[in-house]
Amino acid sequence: MTTSLNPASSAGAVTAAAALALGDDALVLSHRLGEWAGHAPVLEEEVALANIALDLLGQARVLLSLVGDEDELAYLREERAFRNVQLVEQPNGDFAHTIARQLYFSTYQRLLYGRLAGTDGPLAGLAAKAVKEVAYHQDHAEQWTVRLGDGTAESHDRMQRACDALWRHTGEMFQPVDGIDIDWPEMEASWTSSVSAVLERATLTVPEGPRTGAWSAGAGRQGLHTEPFGRMLAEMQHLHRSHPGASW
């Protein structure tokens, strides 16, 4: 994909800020899902999670390329320079935690890209392509949420604990992002309705914990990240930093 974005201009700087935020979301979650390689509960799921990770990596490459050199942005930035939401950097935990994270984030991404695809902005083309991929990601997460929630007593309890634990990270996704002109409260209402319907189908209780305010989480867009993110970043950047300029 080519682009005429000029980050030095005012409009370009605003779009670059949006591309960086969405690109970092996709990059970080892609790496987290890639950590399941060799560890997924069944072979079919190993392939599914790897495919989702690759879709997200493709989105990240296009978005980060709008801002600058994608490799430098991925591997040479310090932790405080990343603008992803804190939800995507949360550790995989057990499989239920990964599925809860996927349900929350893929629902958000599908709603966001669906709205961006209907605009005439510089991100519309990417969004129109990505929303088809993300619809699959959301369907995958919904199926597993219902399967685990409406499964055994053990799987139900684990899925409920995962949904409860990550709930406080979901409010951050609806903080306005510079360069993205959509109705954020309306999208948040759609997200809540969609996620609640899935949880109810899965016989799970919609978490009641705070999603905004002092007891919620979320300052990733401002460059503040949780402790696990630093360890993830060190692992992700290790090879590139250890062998600068290396090529196969």
Side-chain angles (χ1 to χ4, degrees), residues 113-139:
Y113 285 164
R115 283 157 176 74
L116 287 176
T119 68
D120 58 358
L123 300 181
L126 163 76
K129 179 181 179 183
V131 73
K132 300 173 184 173
E133 298 172 342
V134 175
Y136 162 74
H137 303 172
Q138 183 184 8
D139 180 65

PDB file of all heavy atoms in Angstrom, residues 113-139:
ATOM      1  N   TYR A 113     -12.869  -0.264  12.914  1.00  0.00           N
ATOM      2  CA  TYR A 113     -12.529  -0.328  11.498  1.00  0.00           C
ATOM      3  C   TYR A 113     -13.767  -0.212  10.621  1.00  0.00           C
ATOM      4  O   TYR A 113     -13.710   0.326   9.509  1.00  0.00           O
ATOM      5  CB  TYR A 113     -11.758  -1.608  11.186  1.00  0.00           C
ATOM      6  CG  TYR A 113     -10.310  -1.592  11.640  1.00  0.00           C
ATOM      7  CD1 TYR A 113      -9.572  -2.758  11.739  1.00  0.00           C
ATOM      8  CD2 TYR A 113      -9.676  -0.400  11.959  1.00  0.00           C
ATOM      9  CE1 TYR A 113      -8.243  -2.744  12.146  1.00  0.00           C
ATOM     10  CE2 TYR A 113      -8.365  -0.373  12.368  1.00  0.00           C
ATOM     11  CZ  TYR A 113      -7.646  -1.545  12.463  1.00  0.00           C
ATOM     12  OH  TYR A 113      -6.322  -1.507  12.859  1.00  0.00           O
ATOM     13  N   GLY A 114     -14.885  -0.730  11.100  1.00  0.00           N
ATOM     14  CA  GLY A 114     -16.121  -0.578  10.338  1.00  0.00           C
ATOM     15  C   GLY A 114     -16.494   0.875  10.159  1.00  0.00           C
ATOM     16  O   GLY A 114     -16.955   1.298   9.090  1.00  0.00           O
ATOM     17  N   ARG A 115     -16.287   1.649  11.207  1.00  0.00           N
ATOM     18  CA  ARG A 115     -16.595   3.083  11.128  1.00  0.00           C
ATOM     19  C   ARG A 115     -15.557   3.819  10.277  1.00  0.00           C
ATOM     20  O   ARG A 115     -15.900   4.693   9.478  1.00  0.00           O
ATOM     21  CB  ARG A 115     -16.669   3.677  12.538  1.00  0.00           C
ATOM     22  CG  ARG A 115     -17.982   3.320  13.249  1.00  0.00           C
ATOM     23  CD  ARG A 115     -17.872   3.383  14.758  1.00  0.00           C
ATOM     24  NE  ARG A 115     -19.164   3.126  15.374  1.00  0.00           N
ATOM     25  CZ  ARG A 115     -19.746   1.933  15.446  1.00  0.00           C
ATOM     26  NH1 ARG A 115     -19.128   0.879  14.917  1.00  0.00           N
ATOM     27  NH2 ARG A 115     -20.922   1.765  16.034  1.00  0.00           N
ATOM     28  N   LEU A 116     -14.283   3.485  10.445  1.00  0.00           N
ATOM     29  CA  LEU A 116     -13.240   4.151   9.652  1.00  0.00           C
ATOM     30  C   LEU A 116     -13.388   3.843   8.164  1.00  0.00           C
ATOM     31  O   LEU A 116     -13.106   4.692   7.317  1.00  0.00           O
ATOM     32  CB  LEU A 116     -11.857   3.706  10.133  1.00  0.00           C
ATOM     33  CG  LEU A 116     -11.381   4.259  11.472  1.00  0.00           C
ATOM     34  CD1 LEU A 116     -10.043   3.643  11.863  1.00  0.00           C
ATOM     35  CD2 LEU A 116     -11.266   5.779  11.423  1.00  0.00           C
ATOM     36  N   ALA A 117     -13.843   2.637   7.842  1.00  0.00           N
ATOM     37  CA  ALA A 117     -13.999   2.257   6.434  1.00  0.00           C
ATOM     38  C   ALA A 117     -15.055   3.104   5.742  1.00  0.00           C
ATOM     39  O   ALA A 117     -15.018   3.265   4.514  1.00  0.00           O
ATOM     40  CB  ALA A 117     -14.366   0.775   6.327  1.00  0.00           C
ATOM     41  N   GLY A 118     -15.972   3.662   6.509  1.00  0.00           N
ATOM     42  CA  GLY A 118     -17.026   4.485   5.930  1.00  0.00           C
ATOM     43  C   GLY A 118     -16.667   5.946   5.783  1.00  0.00           C
ATOM     44  O   GLY A 118     -17.507   6.753   5.367  1.00  0.00           O
ATOM     45  N   THR A 119     -15.428   6.306   6.122  1.00  0.00           N
ATOM     46  CA  THR A 119     -14.987   7.688   5.998  1.00  0.00           C
ATOM     47  C   THR A 119     -14.177   7.853   4.710  1.00  0.00           C
ATOM     48  O   THR A 119     -13.911   6.879   3.995  1.00  0.00           O
ATOM     49  CB  THR A 119     -14.110   8.098   7.195  1.00  0.00           C
ATOM     50  OG1 THR A 119     -12.856   7.370   7.125  1.00  0.00           O
ATOM     51  CG2 THR A 119     -14.799   7.755   8.515  1.00  0.00           C
ATOM     52  N   ASP A 120     -13.752   9.080   4.438  1.00  0.00           N
ATOM     53  CA  ASP A 120     -12.867   9.318   3.288  1.00  0.00           C
ATOM     54  C   ASP A 120     -11.464   9.692   3.763  1.00  0.00           C
ATOM     55  O   ASP A 120     -10.694  10.304   3.029  1.00  0.00           O
ATOM     56  CB  ASP A 120     -13.442  10.404   2.372  1.00  0.00           C
ATOM     57  CG  ASP A 120     -13.668  11.715   3.118  1.00  0.00           C
ATOM     58  OD1 ASP A 120     -13.407  11.755   4.351  1.00  0.00           O
ATOM     59  OD2 ASP A 120     -14.097  12.689   2.490  1.00  0.00           O
ATOM     60  N   GLY A 121     -11.147   9.327   5.005  1.00  0.00           N
ATOM     61  CA  GLY A 121      -9.842   9.657   5.566  1.00  0.00           C
ATOM     62  C   GLY A 121      -8.744   8.723   5.080  1.00  0.00           C
ATOM     63  O   GLY A 121      -9.003   7.723   4.395  1.00  0.00           O
ATOM     64  N   PRO A 122      -7.491   9.004   5.445  1.00  0.00           N
ATOM     65  CA  PRO A 122      -6.346   8.217   4.973  1.00  0.00           C
ATOM     66  C   PRO A 122      -6.306   6.797   5.509  1.00  0.00           C
ATOM     67  O   PRO A 122      -5.560   5.973   4.989  1.00  0.00           O
ATOM     68  CB  PRO A 122      -5.142   9.035   5.455  1.00  0.00           C
ATOM     69  CG  PRO A 122      -5.669   9.862   6.584  1.00  0.00           C
ATOM     70  CD  PRO A 122      -7.089  10.154   6.265  1.00  0.00           C
ATOM     71  N   LEU A 123      -7.082   6.499   6.557  1.00  0.00           N
ATOM     72  CA  LEU A 123      -7.081   5.147   7.114  1.00  0.00           C
ATOM     73  C   LEU A 123      -8.230   4.304   6.580  1.00  0.00           C
ATOM     74  O   LEU A 123      -8.377   3.135   6.952  1.00  0.00           O
ATOM     75  CB  LEU A 123      -7.164   5.217   8.647  1.00  0.00           C
ATOM     76  CG  LEU A 123      -6.034   5.965   9.358  1.00  0.00           C
ATOM     77  CD1 LEU A 123      -6.247   5.928  10.876  1.00  0.00           C
ATOM     78  CD2 LEU A 123      -4.674   5.379   9.010  1.00  0.00           C
ATOM     79  N   ALA A 124      -9.070   4.874   5.709  1.00  0.00           N
ATOM     80  CA  ALA A 124     -10.265   4.172   5.251  1.00  0.00           C
ATOM     81  C   ALA A 124      -9.922   2.905   4.463  1.00  0.00           C
ATOM     82  O   ALA A 124     -10.565   1.863   4.639  1.00  0.00           O
ATOM     83  CB  ALA A 124     -11.119   5.104   4.396  1.00  0.00           C
ATOM     84  N   GLY A 125      -8.915   2.978   3.592  1.00  0.00           N
ATOM     85  CA  GLY A 125      -8.554   1.820   2.771  1.00  0.00           C
ATOM     86  C   GLY A 125      -8.077   0.652   3.618  1.00  0.00           C
ATOM     87  O   GLY A 125      -8.500  -0.493   3.435  1.00  0.00           O
ATOM     88  N   LEU A 126      -7.178   0.952   4.556  1.00  0.00           N
ATOM     89  CA  LEU A 126      -6.703  -0.086   5.462  1.00  0.00           C
ATOM     90  C   LEU A 126      -7.868  -0.679   6.255  1.00  0.00           C
ATOM     91  O   LEU A 126      -7.984  -1.903   6.410  1.00  0.00           O
ATOM     92  CB  LEU A 126      -5.678   0.498   6.427  1.00  0.00           C
ATOM     93  CG  LEU A 126      -5.415  -0.360   7.664  1.00  0.00           C
ATOM     94  CD1 LEU A 126      -4.551  -1.556   7.306  1.00  0.00           C
ATOM     95  CD2 LEU A 126      -4.796   0.445   8.783  1.00  0.00           C
ATOM     96  N   ALA A 127      -8.733   0.207   6.771  1.00  0.00           N
ATOM     97  CA  ALA A 127      -9.848  -0.259   7.606  1.00  0.00           C
ATOM     98  C   ALA A 127     -10.787  -1.167   6.815  1.00  0.00           C
ATOM     99  O   ALA A 127     -11.259  -2.176   7.336  1.00  0.00           O
ATOM    100  CB  ALA A 127     -10.604   0.941   8.159  1.00  0.00           C
ATOM    101  N   ALA A 128     -11.045  -0.821   5.554  1.00  0.00           N
ATOM    102  CA  ALA A 128     -11.957  -1.622   4.733  1.00  0.00           C
ATOM    103  C   ALA A 128     -11.423  -3.035   4.536  1.00  0.00           C
ATOM    104  O   ALA A 128     -12.192  -4.005   4.500  1.00  0.00           O
ATOM    105  CB  ALA A 128     -12.165  -0.947   3.380  1.00  0.00           C
ATOM    106  N   LYS A 129     -10.115  -3.165   4.414  1.00  0.00           N
ATOM    107  CA  LYS A 129      -9.520  -4.491   4.264  1.00  0.00           C
ATOM    108  C   LYS A 129      -9.447  -5.211   5.614  1.00  0.00           C
ATOM    109  O   LYS A 129      -9.777  -6.399   5.723  1.00  0.00           O
ATOM    110  CB  LYS A 129      -8.116  -4.372   3.671  1.00  0.00           C
ATOM    111  CG  LYS A 129      -7.420  -5.711   3.505  1.00  0.00           C
ATOM    112  CD  LYS A 129      -6.020  -5.546   2.926  1.00  0.00           C
ATOM    113  CE  LYS A 129      -5.338  -6.918   2.790  1.00  0.00           C
ATOM    114  NZ  LYS A 129      -3.956  -6.783   2.291  1.00  0.00           N
ATOM    115  N   ALA A 130      -9.031  -4.492   6.639  1.00  0.00           N
ATOM    116  CA  ALA A 130      -8.805  -5.123   7.947  1.00  0.00           C
ATOM    117  C   ALA A 130     -10.098  -5.572   8.610  1.00  0.00           C
ATOM    118  O   ALA A 130     -10.107  -6.546   9.362  1.00  0.00           O
ATOM    119  CB  ALA A 130      -8.056  -4.154   8.863  1.00  0.00           C
ATOM    120  N   VAL A 131     -11.201  -4.874   8.334  1.00  0.00           N
ATOM    121  CA  VAL A 131     -12.438  -5.222   9.045  1.00  0.00           C
ATOM    122  C   VAL A 131     -12.893  -6.633   8.685  1.00  0.00           C
ATOM    123  O   VAL A 131     -13.535  -7.311   9.508  1.00  0.00           O
ATOM    124  CB  VAL A 131     -13.539  -4.181   8.734  1.00  0.00           C
ATOM    125  CG1 VAL A 131     -14.081  -4.344   7.315  1.00  0.00           C
ATOM    126  CG2 VAL A 131     -14.666  -4.277   9.753  1.00  0.00           C
ATOM    127  N   LYS A 132     -12.542  -7.107   7.497  1.00  0.00           N
ATOM    128  CA  LYS A 132     -12.903  -8.481   7.127  1.00  0.00           C
ATOM    129  C   LYS A 132     -12.102  -9.490   7.944  1.00  0.00           C
ATOM    130  O   LYS A 132     -12.634 -10.511   8.374  1.00  0.00           O
ATOM    131  CB  LYS A 132     -12.648  -8.682   5.628  1.00  0.00           C
ATOM    132  CG  LYS A 132     -13.457  -7.749   4.746  1.00  0.00           C
ATOM    133  CD  LYS A 132     -13.040  -7.879   3.273  1.00  0.00           C
ATOM    134  CE  LYS A 132     -13.780  -6.868   2.420  1.00  0.00           C
ATOM    135  NZ  LYS A 132     -13.270  -6.875   1.008  1.00  0.00           N
ATOM    136  N   GLU A 133     -10.827  -9.194   8.146  1.00  0.00           N
ATOM    137  CA  GLU A 133     -10.003 -10.074   8.979  1.00  0.00           C
ATOM    138  C   GLU A 133     -10.480 -10.050  10.423  1.00  0.00           C
ATOM    139  O   GLU A 133     -10.598 -11.090  11.079  1.00  0.00           O
ATOM    140  CB  GLU A 133      -8.543  -9.616   8.928  1.00  0.00           C
ATOM    141  CG  GLU A 133      -7.897  -9.655   7.559  1.00  0.00           C
ATOM    142  CD  GLU A 133      -6.527  -9.011   7.531  1.00  0.00           C
ATOM    143  OE1 GLU A 133      -6.202  -8.239   8.476  1.00  0.00           O
ATOM    144  OE2 GLU A 133      -5.784  -9.260   6.559  1.00  0.00           O
ATOM    145  N   VAL A 134     -10.765  -8.874  10.912  1.00  0.00           N
ATOM    146  CA  VAL A 134     -11.135  -8.727  12.314  1.00  0.00           C
ATOM    147  C   VAL A 134     -12.489  -9.370  12.602  1.00  0.00           C
ATOM    148  O   VAL A 134     -12.724  -9.859  13.709  1.00  0.00           O
ATOM    149  CB  VAL A 134     -11.130  -7.236  12.702  1.00  0.00           C
ATOM    150  CG1 VAL A 134     -11.635  -7.046  14.116  1.00  0.00           C
ATOM    151  CG2 VAL A 134      -9.725  -6.669  12.558  1.00  0.00           C
ATOM    152  N   ALA A 135     -13.373  -9.401  11.614  1.00  0.00           N
ATOM    153  CA  ALA A 135     -14.660 -10.085  11.802  1.00  0.00           C
ATOM    154  C   ALA A 135     -14.433 -11.561  12.101  1.00  0.00           C
ATOM    155  O   ALA A 135     -15.131 -12.159  12.935  1.00  0.00           O
ATOM    156  CB  ALA A 135     -15.533  -9.914  10.568  1.00  0.00           C
ATOM    157  N   TYR A 136     -13.433 -12.155  11.431  1.00  0.00           N
ATOM    158  CA  TYR A 136     -13.078 -13.544  11.728  1.00  0.00           C
ATOM    159  C   TYR A 136     -12.504 -13.662  13.140  1.00  0.00           C
ATOM    160  O   TYR A 136     -12.841 -14.595  13.886  1.00  0.00           O
ATOM    161  CB  TYR A 136     -12.060 -14.061  10.700  1.00  0.00           C
ATOM    162  CG  TYR A 136     -11.330 -15.296  11.170  1.00  0.00           C
ATOM    163  CD1 TYR A 136     -11.970 -16.531  11.197  1.00  0.00           C
ATOM    164  CD2 TYR A 136     -10.014 -15.213  11.619  1.00  0.00           C
ATOM    165  CE1 TYR A 136     -11.307 -17.662  11.663  1.00  0.00           C
ATOM    166  CE2 TYR A 136      -9.343 -16.332  12.088  1.00  0.00           C
ATOM    167  CZ  TYR A 136      -9.996 -17.549  12.107  1.00  0.00           C
ATOM    168  OH  TYR A 136      -9.340 -18.654  12.583  1.00  0.00           O
ATOM    169  N   HIS A 137     -11.641 -12.718  13.523  1.00  0.00           N
ATOM    170  CA  HIS A 137     -11.061 -12.762  14.873  1.00  0.00           C
ATOM    171  C   HIS A 137     -12.166 -12.704  15.928  1.00  0.00           C
ATOM    172  O   HIS A 137     -12.122 -13.419  16.932  1.00  0.00           O
ATOM    173  CB  HIS A 137     -10.118 -11.570  15.094  1.00  0.00           C
ATOM    174  CG  HIS A 137      -9.008 -11.478  14.089  1.00  0.00           C
ATOM    175  ND1 HIS A 137      -8.160 -10.376  14.032  1.00  0.00           N
ATOM    176  CD2 HIS A 137      -8.603 -12.318  13.107  1.00  0.00           C
ATOM    177  CE1 HIS A 137      -7.284 -10.566  13.064  1.00  0.00           C
ATOM    178  NE2 HIS A 137      -7.526 -11.728  12.474  1.00  0.00           N
ATOM    179  N   GLN A 138     -13.142 -11.836  15.695  1.00  0.00           N
ATOM    180  CA  GLN A 138     -14.235 -11.696  16.656  1.00  0.00           C
ATOM    181  C   GLN A 138     -15.065 -12.981  16.728  1.00  0.00           C
ATOM    182  O   GLN A 138     -15.427 -13.442  17.807  1.00  0.00           O
ATOM    183  CB  GLN A 138     -15.131 -10.512  16.287  1.00  0.00           C
ATOM    184  CG  GLN A 138     -16.248 -10.269  17.292  1.00  0.00           C
ATOM    185  CD  GLN A 138     -17.182  -9.150  16.860  1.00  0.00           C
ATOM    186  OE1 GLN A 138     -17.097  -8.639  15.737  1.00  0.00           O
ATOM    187  NE2 GLN A 138     -18.069  -8.740  17.742  1.00  0.00           N
ATOM    188  N   ASP A 139     -15.346 -13.559  15.572  1.00  0.00           N
ATOM    189  CA  ASP A 139     -16.134 -14.799  15.548  1.00  0.00           C
ATOM    190  C   ASP A 139     -15.395 -15.911  16.287  1.00  0.00           C
ATOM    191  O   ASP A 139     -16.010 -16.682  17.045  1.00  0.00           O
ATOM    192  CB  ASP A 139     -16.409 -15.197  14.100  1.00  0.00           C
ATOM    193  CG  ASP A 139     -17.233 -16.477  14.011  1.00  0.00           C
ATOM    194  OD1 ASP A 139     -18.392 -16.451  14.451  1.00  0.00           O
ATOM    195  OD2 ASP A 139     -16.725 -17.488  13.504  1.00  0.00           O
TER     196      ASP A 139
END
